[in-house]
Amino acid sequence: LAEYDDLLRSTGEAKAADGKESALTRETASAASTPTPSAPPAPSVRDAEPAASGLPEPEPVSVDVEPKPEELDVAVEVPVEPAKPESAHARDAEKARVSREDDLKALSKGLATTRGGFISRLAKLFSNRKEVDEQLLTEVEEILITADLGVKTTESLLQALRKRMESGELPDEATVWAALRTRAREILSPSVGEMKLDQRPAVILVVGVNGVGKTTTIGKLASRYEKEGKKVLLAAADTFRAAAVLQLEVWGRRVGCPVVKGKENADPGSVVFDAIKKASGEGVDIVVADTAGRLHTKVPLMEELKKLSRTTAKALDGRPPDEILLVLDSTIGQNAVQQARMFREALDISGFVLTKLDGTAKGGVILAVVEEHQIPVRYIGLGEKVEDLREFDVDNFVDALFARPDDKTLAA
């Protein structure tokens, strides 16, 4: 019996030991199947045995693992290269581009009547011909003459075309237009450049016959100069026409500049003299003087203008007027050339202002006036608004005038 009892005890202890070992194995497998980044490795069976025997478990060892950037829930600042400041040259170029586009739009609109006249006739003529020959040039001559370009300007344009035709440089319509634009720029070349108003005060005499838009032009000029930051004074020297003085006063109030005037029928020279002296004492930059405008065929008017010019020089201590602008009405065509000739006999005209270009088909008269007198065009009038008085730009004017009309215009 004693041996039997010993056998039973030894068998039970072995089973108990096997049970403990199986439990430890299951726990180890479970720990291995569940990954924990910061947990220590699962103990093996041999490591578990000391625990079963009452020994203390070893403390877990933590391992510092540096997290990957994509695992961080933190915004990472990426350095951005600062934008390079725009250069002054780039700003000026962009400003010039926008200004040119605006000018071309205004010119295309203002010259619509002229373009619908002889320019459309030229375009229809060119589009119906496959080659440029002498017969074509004869028809071009007729169109230019009837458009009031005058004999001299017409012949100048034809010679340019004929020379290129003979050298084989006019194979198609596009080259004909290019040749016209090139010659037109050459004719208008005296108009390149700006007025010189460096003196203080600078004095501008504005002359012209009645009805050409002389006083309105003065008001628009004053508005332009005021917007440029200049201090302007107006002189109402057309004392023989009360309406002219009143009109200039209206412009003065509108622009915000003073107007010097005299009594009705007062001496125009005295008005200009007083205006210049007032401007000198008050630091005025520009004096713009209106003048009488009776018909240019009356000799007394020309004598009066000569006297006015002398009085201006006297007020400026011997210096002549900085600019003498002759205002011409574009609608009168070749008569503008004759008017310019008469005024030049009395005054040293320094520049032309061509008004009412938006209401005439005779806009090409600008070419005739400049070629005949070799005097620059300073401003052109394209409408009633202040901004419709625009500085004359040769390239923009030629591009707008001699641009080939679109098919819709030609079909009209």
Side-chain angles (χ1 to χ4, degrees), residues 92-406:
D92 292 343
E94 177 63 17
K95 184 178 179 180
R97 184 190 66 80
V98 173
S99 177
R100 173 175 166 77
E101 289 181 356
D102 291 344
D103 200 33
L104 283 173
K105 289 180 182 178
L107 284 168
S108 297
K109 181 180 178 181
L111 294 172
T113 306
T114 297
R115 288 174 45 75
F118 83 95
I119 295 297
S120 289
R121 293 172 63 193
L122 286 175
K124 291 177 181 178
L125 175 64
F126 296 154
S127 62
N128 293 330
R129 297 294 184 88
K130 294 183 179 180
E131 62 179 2
V132 179
D133 53 19
E134 195 62 38
Q135 177 60 34
L136 176 67
L137 295 184
T138 301
E139 296 182 49
V140 170
E141 179 180 12
E142 180 182 351
I143 292 174
L144 296 180
I145 289 291
T146 56
D148 249 13
L149 265 68
V151 175
K152 185 175 181 179
T153 303
T154 297
E155 188 59 31
S156 176
L157 291 171
L158 287 175
Q159 286 181 0
L161 292 179
R162 186 173 289 109
K163 182 178 179 180
R164 295 198 177 200
M165 179 190 70
E166 293 173 351
S167 61
E169 298 178 35
L170 298 179
D172 52 31
E173 180 184 358
T175 56
V176 176
W177 285 112
L180 287 173
R181 286 191 290 269
T182 298
R183 182 56 191 146
R185 286 190 180 93
E186 293 171 353
I187 292 174
L188 295 173
S189 59
S191 298
V192 176
E194 300 178 351
M195 293 195 303
K196 295 181 180 180
L197 302 175
D198 302 327
Q199 301 291 335
R200 189 174 184 185
V203 178
I204 303 174
L205 296 184
V206 181
V207 300
V209 301
N210 290 339
V212 297
K214 184 170 73 276
T215 307
T216 300
T217 296
I218 292 172
K220 292 179 179 180
L221 282 175
S223 179
R224 288 179 62 93
Y225 295 144
E226 282 282 344
K227 289 180 180 178
E228 293 174 2
K230 303 288 177 51
K231 191 174 181 180
V232 183
L233 183 145
L234 303 181
D238 186 359
T239 58
F240 302 108
R241 191 166 64 95
V245 178
L246 293 175
Q247 188 180 1
L248 204 62
E249 287 183 309
V250 170
W251 272 106
R253 289 193 295 269
R254 179 179 177 182
V255 175
C257 61
V259 178
V260 175
K261 63 178 182 178
K263 296 180 180 180
E264 187 174 355
N265 294 325
D267 179 27
S270 66
V271 175
V272 172
F273 188 91
D274 291 343
I276 293 174
K277 291 304 179 182
K278 179 180 176 65
S280 299
E282 298 181 1
V284 170
D285 297 304
I286 301 175
V287 175
V288 186
D290 193 6
T291 61
R294 288 193 181 93
L295 291 178
H296 61 282
T297 54
K298 294 186 178 181
V299 176
L301 171 61
M302 296 304 168
E303 292 300 324
E304 187 64 45
L305 291 176
K306 290 179 182 179
K307 178 183 176 182
L308 187 61
S309 180
R310 292 193 298 268
T311 303
T312 301
K314 183 178 179 180
L316 293 172
D317 298 328
R319 175 167 60 89
D322 297 86
E323 293 283 342
I324 301 180
L325 299 180
L326 173 60
V327 182
L328 298 171
D329 184 346
S330 301
T331 63
I332 64 176
Q334 281 294 302
N335 285 336
V337 179
Q338 178 65 15
Q339 280 188 15
R341 184 178 296 112
M342 296 296 294
F343 274 92
R344 286 193 67 194
E345 292 177 359
L347 297 167
D348 186 14
I349 302 297
S350 61
F352 296 126
V353 179
L354 273 294
T355 62
K356 307 179 186 180
L357 271 172
D358 57 315
T360 180
K362 301 177 180 180
V365 71
I366 290 182
L367 295 167
V369 170
V370 174
E371 183 163 41
E372 178 68 28
H373 299 288
Q374 295 297 301
I375 292 176
V377 174
R378 294 305 189 188
Y379 294 95
I380 54 176
L382 300 173
E384 297 296 328
K385 299 179 181 178
V386 171
E387 58 269 23
D388 289 333
L389 181 69
R390 307 185 73 88
E391 287 187 64
F392 184 70
D393 184 282
V394 173
D395 288 333
N396 291 350
F397 179 82
V398 170
D399 288 343
L401 180 62
F402 286 98
R404 183 187 185 280
D406 54 32

